[in-house]
Amino acid sequence: MSPQTIKIIITAVLLLHGVAHGRAFFCLAATAGGGGDKKWIPLRSWLFPKASKKTVAAIAAVFWLLGALGFIAAALGFWGLLFPGEYWRQLALISAVISTLGTLIFSGIWPGAPDQRLSTLDTVISLVVNVAWFFLLLVMQY
């Protein structure tokens, strides 16, 4: 593959992962505000078992917002649009850690998913992408 093709793929994956986290954030924000679609899979957390649905959504929203902003900023940084240099690597790595922690703390539920099958699929895709970033950035030192 050409370097330009690799650059486009990396940018696209970072952007899409950030947009997916952004959509989940808006679903969580709606739930935390008392709205939200009743058809969504209910969010839960083993770390906050007695917290209300609104409280859990508000806490989870922080993880998904940071993940969204981090992945989108990393994509823009990788393309050279947001900041100079190689800071995109650290930002992508930190975002993958935040995303993975959020997914694990909130019981593998992908916010806004209309059913358990799609929630599981979205969760698995997110974790696979995060592991790919860990491998690419830490093992391969790309």
Side-chain angles (χ1 to χ4, degrees), residues 54-140:
K54 287 182 182 181
T55 301
V56 171
I59 296 167
V62 173
F63 283 87
W64 269 267
L65 177 61
L66 290 174
L69 294 175
F71 284 122
I72 291 169
L76 295 174
F78 179 73
W79 202 257
L81 297 175
L82 191 58
F83 43 79
E86 301 297 315
Y87 296 114
W88 74 270
R89 287 182 171 85
Q90 291 86 358
L91 199 50
L93 186 60
I94 291 167
S95 300
V97 168
I98 291 169
S99 173
T100 301
L101 284 174
T103 301
L104 296 176
I105 290 171
F106 297 97
S107 303
I109 299 297
W110 194 261
D115 61 44
Q116 187 60 49
R117 184 182 63 79
L118 287 175
S119 177
T120 300
L121 178 63
D122 290 345
T123 299
V124 168
I125 290 169
S126 179
L127 290 173
V128 166
V129 171
N130 290 338
V131 168
W133 286 120
F134 295 143
F135 181 77
L136 183 71
L137 297 169
L138 296 173
V139 177
M140 294 185 66

Side-chain angles (χ1 to χ4, degrees), residues 35-60:
D37 191 335
K38 305 261 187 271
K39 295 180 280 186
W40 294 342
I41 299 297
L43 190 67
R44 61 184 182 273
S45 172
W46 56 269
L47 190 59
F48 310 105
K50 300 204 187 270
S52 72
K53 179 180 169 181
K54 287 182 182 181
T55 301
V56 171
I59 296 167

